[in-house]
Amino acid sequence: MEPVRDAWTDERLDDLNRRVDTGFGELRGEMAGLRGEMSELRREMNELRRESNERFESLEKRLDSVQRTMVYGFVSMSAAMIAALGAIATQL
């Protein structure tokens, strides 16, 4: 670490200015890299969202199919029970 000085010379101010400019230049470079990474992450998230939506739509279709099959089964069983009760009632 540099020793502390009481006076600021033009040379020291110029050196400080160069170091500040260099630091900001490095920061700009890092920020540009981060922007690129964020853009890539945004694309990946949009792709994942699209895939998730497709899978949920597929799952909804399958569940609708299962529900429809259950309703058909219930109606068929109810009709069979009514027919069986009708047959039993006519035997009495």
Side-chain angles (χ1 to χ4, degrees):
M1 188 166 178
E2 295 180 21
V4 178
R5 297 182 189 166
D6 291 334
W8 284 92
T9 63
D10 286 345
E11 181 181 303
R12 287 187 64 216
L13 288 172
D14 290 341
D15 182 51
L16 176 63
N17 189 28
R18 278 189 296 275
R19 285 194 288 168
V20 168
D21 286 343
T22 301
F24 276 117
E26 292 172 2
L27 181 62
R28 283 186 197 103
E30 290 176 15
M31 298 267 301
L34 288 174
R35 282 189 187 106
E37 289 178 25
M38 287 178 58
S39 179
E40 179 62 29
L41 284 173
R42 195 172 287 124
R43 278 191 290 273
E44 290 177 12
M45 287 178 62
N46 287 335
E47 178 66 21
L48 286 173
R49 184 177 294 127
R50 186 188 60 77
E51 289 176 10
S52 295
N53 287 340
E54 287 175 1
R55 288 185 180 186
F56 278 121
E57 287 174 9
S58 173
L59 181 61
E60 286 175 358
K61 289 177 184 177
R62 289 174 63 189
L63 287 174
D64 287 344
S65 175
V66 168
Q67 183 180 11
R68 189 172 25 262
T69 302
M70 289 175 67
V71 168
Y72 290 156
F74 177 75
V75 169
S76 299
M77 287 174 53
S78 298
M81 289 175 69
I82 291 171
L85 285 175
I88 291 172
T90 58
Q91 297 293 324
L92 296 176

